Amino acid sequence: MIPLAFDETQTSLKQTRSFKFRILFVILVILIVFVGLIARMTYLQWFNHEKYLSQADGNRISVQTLPPQRGHIFDRNQVLLAGNVSNYKLNFRRENIIQFDATFEQLKTLFPEIETSLIDEFSETLRRTPRHRDLPLPYSLTEKQAATFAANRFRFPGITLQAQLKRTYPQNSSGVHFLGYVGRISQADLQRLEARRYRGSEVTGKIGIERAYEDRLHGYPGLQTVETNAQGRVVRILDTIPPKQGENITLTIDIRLQQFIEEKLGDRRGSVVAISPINGEVLALVSTPNYDPNLFVDGITHAEYNALLNNPNKPLINRALRGQYPPGSTTKPFVALGALEQGFTTTTERIFDPGYFEFQDHRYRNWRRQGHGWTDLKRSIVESVDTFYYKMSLDIGVDGLHSMLSPFGFGERTGIDIPGELGGILPSQEWKRRTHGEPWYRGETIIASIGQGYNLATPIQLAQATAILANRGRIIQPHLLKADRDSIQYVTDPEAEAETSDQIPIRSRNHWEYVIQGMIDSVHTPRGTAWNAGRHIKDYQIAGKTGTAQVFSLHDAEYNADELEQRLHSHSLFIAFAPASNPRIAVAIIVENAGGGGRVAAPIAIETIDYFLKELDQ
Amino acid sequence: MTNTWLTDKERNYVKPKTWLARIHIDGLLLLGLIMLLITGLITIYSASGGDLNVTKHHAIRILIAFSLMLAFAQIPPAKLALITPWVFLVGILMLVAVIVFGDMGKGAQRWLDLGFIRFQPSEIMKLALPMMVAWLFAYSRYPAHPARFMLGLFIVGLTAGLIVIQPDLGTSILIAMSGLFVLFFAGLPWKIIVGALFSVAIAIPVVWNFLHAYQKQRVLTFLDPESDPLGAGYHIIQSKIAIGSGGLEGKGFMGSTQAHLEFLPESTTDFIFSVFAEEFGLIGVILLLTLYSLVLLRGLYIAYRAQEAFSRLVAASLTMTLFIYVSVNIGMVSGLLPVVGLPLPLISYGGSSMVTLMISFGILMSIHTHKKMLSN
């Protein structure tokens, strides 16, 4: 069937001609096709070269943000208050995750401590993220959790462990109220923050110094141009603009003093503000109870936050700046000084105190029922004689009181350099008409003269007023940021500071010394209201004034009977500065519901002053 | 045995053979092949990211294929024609064997494991089928009887059918074409060719209307992969970026970012042209196509000058197969044709197709150098 011999059959001319024609035909086809291919290549490589070149670069070049390291916060002795520690994040890349839902279920099982809602929310976000983009779970793993994950890594393809820097507060709860904290950037934050500066950053300052000096602390992100392969892995770094690290900040706070006071206050509710009268540097700004700012860095859990929020002692409130208390008798030295300067009384005038003052059929009681007897102005400060002020006040009037107290900052915000400060209330006729729509009654002037009634002040205001008094009228501005100079010494020249400060006009220097002497006597003489607290101070003089603020309203909370009783106790106040002749520290303290100022507030303040002058201010 | 229309003088004139011709090598074809193979070696070195191991393997394959080319060049066409039916028969049996006993391991039954060697019988058929069809027409009168064309068509259909059920559609179509080229060169009437093309053109819209929506969608995605940029279209988009970004002069040797950064798939095999185009630009592409043209034109010249039907049919068909490979591959990577797995001849990394190709060039050389007489 198959011929096995090959015969070189002579091809016919016709056949050869047909064949050769077809060869020429296919040569033509080949030429047409090749010309077509070259046309196609010309189209791609010549006419669309730019487009494809940029696509090739877009393919391979990606720009990554290098988030800056947040600046550290130090106290005045360079003790670290806020720094950064490395911690771990879980980085997700969708294209490498094989079983999406199963992965997240396993993750929940492995880390039951991470809130389920956080994981669910994140898994939704991840679904909308480009396949090859890394997305970190907004949760910081502890060393232990990181180790747990590392051991189970094989179960989680597409998830990598990534080390990064996390804000940390090594002093824990100490100083949280001025320091504040950072937290995850919220939608509200995005409204005010410059988006470009926050690319790659996860947190921003929420309150306190962290918020106030956010601009300095945050720094500027760097950029890194990298070449990536098709899997998105970095092959080569082409160009790096390093991030500009956030500035380090030095505060005026002395954390030793801060912690000393915090320890003294213990679990009481209260606030202490200590200021250097020389330059307004805030040496301590205490509000108790406090809480741990580290809780907020990664986003506090709902349970933890509710616990803080519902705590009846209200630890979240910064009492030093937002606690509005009737200043009570602590206003007496200021009123006394005003009365002398404005001629409503003299250093020799005496009045008789029967224990009360009667006006329009109403008895205004002195704190001491049996009265103080014959009393001059100095004694009215030393023993805190209410009657003296009741009497004077009708001559002075509420607007007169206002003019005496307002130069010391009462009724205004101090303008301290952290956010959230509330103003106080220093009533006047105009103020009452404006806010209450009512005229001022003279009876109200009487109680206003001893810092009660409408009067409200914050501890920072009280401290500022005390410092101004200590300065004999030289006005200082409380601040927490240490001036941008190298010196971190306490010794700052008061003369030099004086040149740049405002001064309350002084009619008679003697009036100031007279009032201050009254404050010294209240600490250093047996009849003084702070004698028990200050009797052991021998080698320098403290000028102080106690205060007891009656608690008027508690309509916003329910308490059981015991607690109600406790909550109705007066607040205990004390203001002081020392050494009296050459003041280096001014302190204002309020302890809520602790009774008389001499019993609780004064001892803490005096111990604070003593500790500062003996141990710290060398 | 005698060329009766030649004069004695002509009959006695024998052009002196060059030393190359004496060892049955065609110089021009050799030159084109060597230049293409060196281009391939260089491009593979670059596409593999400077992997000397890969390059070395490719060089070894070139040497093996080159030796086989030289060996086949020594076999006179008459001997090749003699064994053609037997080789074809064995090839068909092996294709059947692949279907029956084929190595299931790879999902497709393309490989036959003979214990000491595993190979694809379809590779043999790339040579055996056109030779078989050529053999069919070598002894027929001209023009051939229509029945012989029918027989040729049957042989082509049988072979392609056996390969398509492996399944390997791409190879099946290419092998079928190599057989159809023989029919074309053997003088298949133009009326039938035009008629067949016309019928296909008519049939497409008719068949289209009978397809289900999902089938239509599949065909559309196949024809326009860029409509699915993350799936089928990804490769072709990246390939076009590679080619286009090369520009006129290219990014230079080893300069392909698309391949080095793994955006380009199969950069050493099916998509090697994209790497070449990215690195050597439009100028390089034109030079490469010129090299291919040299080989193709030389192949067709050999066919043109061949003395008897079997040789000229085989030479023309094998040359056209090379042309189909080149144009389909380049059309594919540049987005003109749907993506089918097909290497760029003589350039792509890969063993068996290189060997088959070089053997076919050996056959071409044999055809050109074993002529009894030169009529010019």
Side-chain angles (χ1 to χ4, degrees), chain A residues 2-4 6 10 15 18-20 22 34 38 40-41 44-45 49 52 55 59-60 227 229-231, chain B residues 5 78 82 135 139 142 184 188 238 240-241 243-245 247 258 261-263 273 277 282 293 304 334:
Chain A
I2 298 165
L4 296 180
F6 178 68
Q10 189 57 63
Q15 183 184 2
S18 154
F19 178 76
K20 290 187 173 177
R22 291 189 183 206
F34 274 23
I38 287 171
R40 174 66 173 173
M41 290 302 146
L44 292 175
Q45 299 193 295
H49 173 56
Y52 288 116
Q55 282 184 13
N59 253 348
R60 68 188 183 101
E227 191 174 274
N229 65 14
Q231 282 77 48
Chain B
W5 62 88
L82 214 58
W135 183 86
Y139 312 102
Y142 185 86
F184 169 72
L188 188 66
Q238 295 298 349
K240 279 166 69 179
I241 291 174
I243 295 169
S245 67
Q258 287 289 100
L261 301 173
E262 300 160 44
F263 290 101
F273 178 82
L282 186 59
S293 305
Y304 190 86
S334 63

Side-chain angles (χ1 to χ4, degrees), chain A residues 7-59:
Chain A
D7 175 33
E8 280 186 42
T9 310
Q10 189 57 63
T11 51
S12 72
L13 201 60
K14 197 179 169 197
Q15 183 184 2
T16 304
R17 268 170 57 193
S18 154
F19 178 76
K20 290 187 173 177
F21 175 75
R22 291 189 183 206
I23 289 286
L24 293 174
F25 176 79
V26 295
I27 287 174
L28 188 68
V29 170
I30 288 172
L31 287 178
I32 290 170
V33 168
F34 274 23
V35 165
L37 288 178
I38 287 171
R40 174 66 173 173
M41 290 302 146
T42 310
Y43 171 78
L44 292 175
Q45 299 193 295
W46 182 281
F47 293 105
N48 286 300
H49 173 56
E50 295 295 324
K51 172 183 141 194
Y52 288 116
L53 191 63
S54 78
Q55 282 184 13
D57 283 345
N59 253 348

Side-chain angles (χ1 to χ4, degrees), chain A residues 170-196:
Chain A
Q171 312 295 334
N172 297 320
S173 60
S174 182
V176 62
H177 285 110
F178 65 81
L179 203 50
Y181 49 78
V182 297
R184 289 217 300 273
I185 295 169
S186 66
Q187 284 301 317
D189 293 328
L190 288 174
Q191 299 293 314
R192 64 184 173 87
L193 298 175
E194 193 191 339
R196 264 181 43 198

Side-chain angles (χ1 to χ4, degrees), chain A residues 51 91 195 239-240 382 466 498 501 505 544 584:
Chain A
K51 172 183 141 194
N91 228 349
D239 188 26
T240 305
V382 178
T466 308
S501 310
R584 310 196 66 79

Side-chain angles (χ1 to χ4, degrees), chain A residues 147-211:
Chain A
T148 307
F149 180 81
N152 288 279
R153 183 172 279 157
F154 66 95
R155 289 164 59 191
F156 297 101
I159 308 180
T160 49
L161 205 56
Q162 185 193 318
Q164 58 170 41
L165 288 177
K166 174 189 164 182
R167 197 61 157 171
T168 183
Y169 301 98
Q171 312 295 334
N172 297 320
S173 60
S174 182
V176 62
H177 285 110
F178 65 81
L179 203 50
Y181 49 78
V182 297
R184 289 217 300 273
I185 295 169
S186 66
Q187 284 301 317
D189 293 328
L190 288 174
Q191 299 293 314
R192 64 184 173 87
L193 298 175
E194 193 191 339
R196 264 181 43 198
R197 262 186 86 177
Y198 283 82
R199 276 205 304 191
S201 296
E202 285 176 18
V203 297
T204 183
K206 294 289 186 179
I207 60 168
I209 286 291
E210 291 276 31
R211 169 75 180 259

